[in-house]
Amino acid sequence: MAAQFGRRLRKGAATTAVAAVAVAALSASQAPGVNDHGRQTAADATPSPEASASDGSATGNSPYYTDLPPLKSPNPSPSTGPAPGGTGTTESGIPATVLDAYKKAETTLREAKPGCNLPWQLLAAIGRVESGQARGGRVDADGTTLKPILGPQLDGNGFALIKDTDDGAYDGNSSYDQAVGPMQFIPSTWAWAGRDGNGDGKKDPNNIYDAALAAGHYLCRNDWDLSQQGDFDRAILSYNNSRDYLNLVMRWLEYYRKGTHEVPDGTGTLPDNRSDDGAGASPTPTVPGATNPAGSTPKPGPKPEKPETPQKPGGGGTTTPKPPTTPPGTPSTPPTTPPTPTDTVDHLEDAGTAKLTAMAGDAFGRRISTRAETEAGKAVAKVRVRFTIVGDTDTTFTGGEDVATVATNSSGVAVAPALQAGEKTGTVTVRATVVGRAVPGLDYKATVTERAADALARTGDAALTCAPGGTFANQVEVKATYKGAVADGVAATATLIKSADDPTVTDKGPYFKDADGKTVRTLTGLKTDAKGLLKLPKLYADDTTGTFLLRVTTAGGATLTVELTVAAAETSSPSPSASPSA
């Protein structure tokens, strides 16, 4: 890990103070804005004096990483790739699954609590400070950390005193609580703040999707508007009641707002320093499944090495070198990390997706299936595949989103959610890519056709008759269906034709009127309503008598021909027995 994530700095008792001074200096030099909602910049905005933490906090005020963002712009150059253990541009890289979780949480909160104005970059800033983005993105395909991330036990010894509230269910400690997971929730807070962010039916603080969504809801409670400085301060201080913490989160928020990019899972940079003056990575990862017996207190881990005595300015002090642990000249071999399933993916293959076609407004009957494979063609399970709808279209996945992330099953297959066709017709492209792995994407084509009907029928059977120069008493109404179901929103045309064998427009007989009262014998742009009904305007007759035909057609080929009769009214003749009076 040391080679991958960079060297660890050893800090003395002045770590927190130094970090606070550095934050203040950095704030004065960079002076960026906190967000895009018009709030003043971080350099100009002093945290609101009335802002204070609520009772307790999300993290129990556990230690956090104090590393500051680099001064260099986070915008990576096109040639910049993920580099373990680096700084500068690599600091802005966020592991793919972790980044996906932050963005998904923002999307959910934008709909659930639009007045909160939560940017995903704020979740990224907190995730960086709390766990180094889930320890550099060491998560599985479902977003669960490969090893639990635990803060120190909150036993009052240098930390808050919070006795066990979950019987060790989340933290494996039945004596005291510990902050858990990539967003470092204490069990008592998770009990009410926990959310299911990945739709697996569980609320797991060790899952980045669940934890990110929970953090978003936590920050958006109390009707807080994070675009307002006062509410922003209150929300962050309620997460960890420290002004240094607030300032640090603000710095990382602005850093990520300037630019970031996706890096493969497990390759993110890990911070060096933490707020409790300890060196090395913290919170401390533990072995999966390791729990403490009920009623027991977990044993403290090994103590960090005693910090070396720094040399005083002017040469008043010295640093005592320690004997090398290995003979000089011995090359150091960095520990190897076993490849994740994602690392083994070479390409994506179609997994039997059939032709994708649906009428506008309908759900597609078939779904996209993609298989992740190794170079040898073997299926790879537990890999996250991202499906993205690209191009100018209003077709979405069920639920209204244009992006969906699905883990491959034991057969290496990921099945995308059902597609919901919009009103725009034509070809829609859905692109499948592997989250956290730079392999070529796989494009699928889906076709949206116009709404159609295959049958038309009159809703009434009254005769349609009229005297010359008069108005038909009854209006023509038809109902459209498709495969027996109501066909709503279907385009239709109504035309008065010459005969059954000649569908050209007649120049005499019944007619419609346009908005100016002029004669019209063809109506276009008609559409059936939500019940599949179409009621035509009133019909009028000229002086020509006889039988005429009205033809209604729809998209999809449905046709209905209706007879119209124009006849003079019958006159009664005198009775033969009648005679004039004398």
Side-chain angles (χ1 to χ4, degrees):
M1 270 306 187
Q4 181 178 1
F5 293 121
R7 62 188 180 87
R8 301 283 188 260
L9 301 180
R10 297 297 187 261
K11 300 184 67 182
T15 301
T16 304
V18 171
V21 173
V23 169
L26 186 60
S27 298
S29 64
Q30 288 182 303
V34 174
N35 61 29
D36 291 335
H37 300 289
R39 190 170 67 242
Q40 57 191 343
T41 64
D44 297 330
T46 302
S48 303
E50 71 274 15
S52 61
S54 60
D55 293 339
S57 71
T59 67
N61 300 323
S62 293
Y64 55 90
Y65 288 117
T66 59
D67 295 52
L68 298 172
L71 289 170
K72 187 177 179 181
S73 170
N75 294 312
S77 65
S79 60
T80 300
T87 59
T89 56
T90 57
E91 289 284 358
S92 66
I94 299 177
T97 298
V98 179
L99 180 60
D100 186 57
Y102 295 150
K103 291 185 175 181
K104 186 175 182 180
E106 180 199 51
T107 299
T108 301
L109 267 298
R110 188 185 302 129
E111 180 177 347
K113 297 183 178 181
C116 178
N117 294 307
L118 171 80
W120 67 260
Q121 291 91 340
L122 176 56
L123 297 177
I126 292 175
R128 181 59 162 74
V129 170
E130 291 294 347
S131 69
Q133 310 297 20
R135 292 186 57 78
R138 300 299 296 170
V139 296
D140 64 16
D142 296 320
T144 302
T145 56
L146 299 182
K147 293 182 179 180
I149 302 174
L150 297 176
Q153 67 175 14
L154 302 175
D155 57 4
N157 184 20
F159 309 108
L161 175 60
I162 304 179
K163 293 187 177 181
D164 174 64
T165 61
D166 65 331
D167 197 26
Y170 294 118
D171 54 16
N173 189 338
S174 57
S175 297
Y176 300 95
D177 273 352
Q178 295 174 251
V180 182
M183 303 303 277
Q184 288 290 278
F185 278 96
I186 55 174
S188 57
T189 303
W190 184 261
W192 61 266
R195 293 293 191 280
D196 177 15
N198 62 352
D200 64 356
K202 298 183 294 183
K203 300 176 182 179
D204 183 3
N206 295 297
N207 182 278
I208 186 59
Y209 286 93
D210 295 359
L213 183 59
H217 276 282
Y218 184 90
L219 296 169
C220 288
R221 72 195 193 284
N222 299 330
D223 291 326
W224 282 333
D225 178 359
L226 301 184
S227 68
Q228 302 299 316
Q229 187 69 49
D231 283 356
F232 179 89
D233 294 350
R234 293 182 187 92
I236 304 305
L237 288 173
S238 76
Y239 208 90
N240 192 311
N241 189 17
S242 163
R243 291 284 174 176
D244 290 342
Y245 182 88
L246 169 60
N247 289 334
L248 187 58
V249 167
M250 289 171 69
R251 303 315 314 158
W252 278 106
L253 165 63
E254 180 57 26
Y255 183 75
Y256 286 133
R257 290 190 72 89
K258 285 183 178 179
T260 188
H261 61 287
E262 179 182 287
V263 299
D265 291 342
T267 66
T269 58
L270 193 68
D272 293 310
N273 312 298
R274 68 186 193 190
S275 60
D276 63 344
D277 300 331
S282 176
T284 306
T286 62
V287 178
T291 57
N292 302 305
S296 67
T297 301
K299 296 180 180 180
K303 295 182 179 180
E305 298 178 20
K306 184 178 180 180
E308 297 175 352
T309 304
Q311 184 173 357
K312 295 181 180 179
T318 60
T319 299
T320 303
K322 295 184 178 180
T325 56
T326 57
T330 302
S332 59
T333 302
T336 58
T337 302
T340 65
T342 301
D343 296 333
T344 67
V345 177
D346 177 74
H347 59 275
L348 293 174
E349 288 284 345
D350 177 45
T353 303
K355 185 177 180 181
L356 299 168
T357 303
M359 284 197 303
D362 289 351
F364 282 76
R366 298 182 181 276
R367 297 162 69 179
I368 295 172
S369 297
T370 301
R371 183 170 57 252
E373 295 183 353
T374 65
E375 186 176 6
K378 293 184 177 180
V380 184
K382 297 184 178 180
V383 171
R384 296 192 73 82
V385 175
R386 180 182 295 141
F387 297 95
T388 305
I389 300 173
V390 298
D392 182 19
T393 179
D394 54 358
T395 292
T396 64
F397 291 113
T398 302
E401 296 184 354
D402 56 8
V403 177
T405 306
V406 181
T408 57
N409 59 21
S410 58
S411 300
V413 176
V415 180
L419 285 166
Q420 177 68 40
E423 294 302 321
K424 292 183 179 180
T425 59
T427 301
V428 178
T429 299
V430 181
R431 182 165 299 151
T433 56
V434 179
V435 175
R437 181 75 170 163
V439 297
L442 188 60
D443 284 354
Y444 293 85
K445 302 297 182 182
T447 302
V448 179
T449 62
E450 62 180 335
R451 294 172 181 257
D454 58 11
L456 282 172
R458 281 189 65 193
T459 58
D461 55 6
L464 298 169
T465 60
C466 179
T471 302
F472 284 81
N474 298 309
Q475 290 176 246
V476 177
E477 184 181 65
V478 299
K479 182 175 183 178
T481 56
Y482 184 79
K483 295 182 179 180
V486 167
D488 61 314
V490 177
T493 300
T495 306
L496 289 151
I497 61 176
K498 289 183 177 180
S499 68
D501 298 326
D502 185 357
T504 57
V505 182
T506 185
D507 57 359
K508 57 185 178 180
Y511 61 91
F512 299 104
K513 290 183 180 180
D514 64 12
D516 297 326
K518 296 180 180 180
T519 297
V520 176
R521 288 192 168 91
T522 298
L523 296 177
T524 59
L526 305 172
K527 277 192 176 182
T528 61
D529 64 14
K531 296 180 180 179
L533 300 176
L534 174 61
K535 192 171 187 178
L536 300 181
K538 287 183 178 180
L539 278 163
Y540 304 88
D542 60 14
D543 294 334
T544 308
T545 60
T547 300
F548 302 88
L549 299 179
L550 169 66
R551 179 161 292 173
V552 181
T553 59
T554 68
T559 301
L560 176 67
T561 302
V562 180
E563 283 192 357
L564 306 172
T565 302
V566 179
E570 293 184 3
T571 56
S572 57
S573 57
S575 172
S577 59
S579 60
S581 57

